[in-house]
Amino acid sequence: MTIDLSYHLAIAPSPRATERDLWALAAGVAFAAVLLSPVRHYFNGKDKNEEDSFPLSTYPMFSDDRKDRTRIPHVAGFTAGGERIVPHYSHFGAGGLNQVRKQITRMVRQGRAVEVAQRYADALAEQQRRSAGQGKSPAALRRRKEAGIVRVEIVRSRYFFDTYFAGNTTPQMETVHARADVGGTATAVSETRHDDAQDAQGPPTGPMARSELGNIPPRPLGTGNTAGDYVTENTIQNASVAASQSAPRNTSPITQPAPEQEASQ
């Protein structure tokens, strides 16, 4: 006896794509193409950082070769005893930390550090004329801490990440662009100071030490192996390879000096 199951197992045919389905598919493909369009800057010779924008981004935060250090223009406050305190960004303006940070960075690069120092000095003086209060809110605690600031400086500081996150928040080097006493007049300055306790080439736990190359770059590299030449161990290796490839090769046979020349030496 044969049982025909074809009727029960029949699979319904898929519905045909409608015009609406085709438009949705085309929109999805177009959206994906636009989203991936910044990838072309990785291959056309352009700087992906220069071409980075919003909402279309080249995502340099995920593809850049990060250094072991950073330089940050910022505002530093100092008490009469020399304690270093970072004053709140709201003394410069509203808009949030990142917006104020970008404005300060731009003004320092434009040579307007004196204006930044004057604004902070005036704002701190006005705050200190008012009572700091006895509350326990973050704002009240900050005002009491900032009450001891007697001087502000606009600086550009260099920090090593390994050193900073290990607990030493003192910059290895910083340049002072402007200075103002709280309630006084800001003046432009040009000073550089160093933390002698920190190695200018990076901490012992940094990438140079981890790569077993040591903290001192091998020659040849840049101009005299200055601190500005050092970036990461990849920089050292690439510079060494480039130097070896560009060095002229002497294919002539090695000749021994004449005996009389040896004797004269």
Side-chain angles (χ1 to χ4, degrees):
M1 178 178 177
T2 304
I3 300 177
D4 186 5
L5 299 178
S6 60
Y7 175 79
H8 300 282
L9 300 178
I11 300 175
S14 300
R16 298 185 61 183
T18 64
E19 183 178 358
R20 181 178 180 181
D21 295 332
L22 295 177
W23 277 111
L25 178 61
V29 172
F31 177 77
V34 172
L35 190 65
L36 295 175
S37 62
V39 175
R40 71 185 187 277
H41 299 307
Y42 285 79
F43 308 100
N44 59 9
K46 292 187 177 181
D47 185 355
K48 59 180 178 291
N49 293 306
E50 297 280 339
E51 302 298 329
D52 185 40
S53 184
F54 178 84
L56 300 180
S57 175
T58 56
Y59 301 102
M61 70 290 289
F62 301 119
S63 59
D64 268 3
D65 182 15
R66 294 297 184 184
K67 301 178 182 179
D68 65 341
R69 68 194 65 188
T70 187
R71 293 176 183 268
I72 304 176
H74 65 101
V75 183
F78 296 89
T79 66
E83 180 186 0
R84 188 185 185 103
I85 299 174
V86 177
H88 199 262
Y89 67 85
S90 60
H91 294 299
F92 183 85
L97 172 61
N98 279 334
Q99 181 174 339
V100 170
R101 176 181 60 83
K102 289 183 178 180
Q103 291 176 346
I104 292 176
T105 299
R106 185 182 303 113
M107 293 181 70
V108 171
R109 289 175 178 172
Q110 294 174 347
R112 301 167 58 192
V114 172
E115 299 178 37
V116 179
Q118 190 64 63
R119 187 178 300 188
Y120 266 89
D122 293 343
L124 285 168
E126 179 63 26
Q127 175 179 276
Q128 291 175 3
R129 279 193 288 268
R130 302 191 300 267
S131 173
Q134 300 298 322
K136 296 182 178 181
S137 66
L141 295 175
R142 172 178 58 81
R143 286 193 294 269
R144 287 200 293 272
K145 185 175 183 180
E146 292 177 344
I149 297 177
V150 298
R151 185 181 78 255
V152 293
E153 295 181 350
I154 311 304
V155 298
R156 189 168 185 261
S157 305
R158 179 170 71 177
Y159 295 92
F160 289 103
F161 294 124
D162 283 20
T163 303
Y164 186 92
F165 289 109
N168 183 2
T169 58
T170 302
Q172 185 272 324
M173 180 185 72
E174 68 182 2
T175 301
V176 185
H177 295 282
R179 178 181 292 125
D181 292 334
V182 173
T185 303
T187 57
V189 296
S190 181
E191 299 176 5
T192 301
R193 52 189 177 225
H194 301 78
D195 180 8
D196 295 332
Q198 299 186 44
D199 189 342
Q201 301 297 341
T205 58
M208 288 295 288
R210 290 196 296 268
S211 66
E212 299 182 354
L213 292 175
N215 282 342
I216 305 301
R219 294 181 182 275
L221 174 66
T223 55
N225 286 345
T226 63
D229 294 327
Y230 165 78
V231 182
T232 63
E233 64 272 22
N234 293 326
T235 304
I236 308 302
Q237 294 169 348
N238 294 338
S240 299
V241 171
S244 62
Q245 291 176 348
S246 61
R249 296 183 178 179
N250 184 9
T251 58
S252 59
I254 299 176
T255 58
Q256 296 294 332
E260 58 271 19
Q261 292 177 342
E262 292 182 345
S264 62
Q265 294 176 354

